[in-house]
Amino acid sequence: MSFFKRLKDKLVGNPTEEEKVELIGEEQSTDLQHEDTAEPALLETSNVEVEEKQEQSTNEDMAVVEASNVVEEEKVEEVQEIAVVEEEAVSEKKPSAWSITQKFKAGLEKTRNSFTSKVNDLVARYRKVDEDFFEELEDLLLQADVGFETVMELMDKLRFEVQRKNIKDTNGIQTIISEKLVEIYEQGEEDLIELNMQPNGELTVILFVGVNGVGKTTTIGKLARRLKSEGKTVVLAAGDTFRAGAIDQLQVWGDRVGCEVIKQSEGSDPAAVMYDAIRAAKNRKADVLICDTAGRLQNKVNLMNELEKVHRVISREIPDAPHEVLLALDATTGQNALVQAQTFKEVTNVTGIVLTKLDGTAKGGIVLAIRNKLHIPVKFVGLGEKMDDLQPFDAERYVYGLFAEGLDKELENSEE
C-alpha cells in the first residue's frame, strides 16, 4: 500500500464506527424521552392520592403529603441528573482519526517550521535531483537531529529510488523522502507501539525510568488516565523516594485521575515500596500497576544497583514482570536524549520510549535517531500539555507532521 493510501485511510478513519456512535446516541436519546414522558404520569397519580388523603385526614396527613412531595421532587431531580450524565456519556466520543493526525501536525509545528521550510526552499531552488541536492538535504536532516546513521541510510535509499525510477526533477521528492523515513523506522516490524498488556484477570506491571525533569511523573499520570478511559483499574507506586517532592507530585496526579497511590516516606527503600504496591494491586484486583523510579544519573553504579533490586523484587512477586520498562526522554534535549537512552539501556532492559515535550522542540527528528540507533520503539509521544496529548506513536502520522504542507499539496495533485 502506498504512503498516500495509508495516510488517507488514517486521516479519514472508519466512518462505519462513527455511524454506530451516532446511532447509539439516538437510541439513548429516545429512551430518555420515554423516561421523561413517564415521570409526569407518576406525579399526577401521586397528586390524586394526596388529595384523597387530604379529605380524610388532618395535621398528621399533611406531614405525609409534605414528605411525599419531597420524595417526588427528589425522584424528578434524580431522573434529570441521570439524563445529564447519560447525555454527557453520549456526547463524549473517542478522538477521530483526523483529530489525532492534527495533534501530530500541531505538535511537530516547531520542527516543521525549522526543518520542512528549509526542505521546501531546497526543492524550490533545485529543479533537478543531483548530488548537490542530496548533500544539502543531508545537512538539513542532520540539523533536525535525525542522526548520522539514519541520514546515511536514508540517502542511500533515496539515491537508489531516484536511479530506479529515473527521477530527474524534484516534483514529488517529499513523498519519496516520507516513504523512506517510515520504512527506516518500521524496519519490517509491526505493532511496535502496543503495550505488553496481560490477559484479563492478571496484573500488568509497567516500570518507568528516566532522569529528573523529563516529565516522567506527568507522563505516568497521563498514561494512567488513558488506561482508565479504557476501563482498566490502575494503581500507582511512588518509587522515586530520593527526589524531594516526587511522592507528593505523584499523589497529586493520582488524585487528579482517580488512581490509588501506594507510597512510603521520603528516603524509603524503593524496592519496599514496589513490594507493598504489588500486594496492594493484587488485593484490589487491579489491572495495571505503574511504578515510578528515581532518575539520578550522577552515579551509574548506584542507579544500576537500585534498578536491579527493584526489578528483582517485582519479578519475584510476579514472574516475567515488569512487562514493560518505559524510558521517558525529553525531546527538547536532542542528542542528549540519545545519550540518556544509551545509558539506561545499559542498566536495564528498556522495552519502549516515551518521548515527552515533542511539541516544544525544533529537533523532532530525534525519534528516528533513537529507533534506528538503539532499536527501541517509541511507544508514546507528548504533543502538548492537555491530558489527552499523550498519544501512541505512529510513524506515518509523525512523518506527515514533519512534511504536512508539502504532502498536502502532493496529495491534492495525486487526486486530480
Side-chain angles (χ1 to χ4, degrees), residues 89-104:
V90 171
S91 62
E92 185 179 352
K93 298 179 181 180
K94 292 183 179 180
S96 66
W98 172 255
S99 67
I100 295 174
T101 304
Q102 291 303 102
K103 282 184 180 293
F104 275 84

Side-chain angles (χ1 to χ4, degrees), residues 18-32 86-87 89-91 93:
E18 295 177 0
E19 290 172 3
K20 288 180 182 178
V21 172
E22 292 177 0
L23 182 59
I24 292 172
E26 291 174 359
E27 291 175 351
Q28 292 184 351
S29 176
T30 304
D31 292 339
L32 290 176
E86 291 183 350
E87 185 177 352
V90 171
S91 62
K93 298 179 181 180

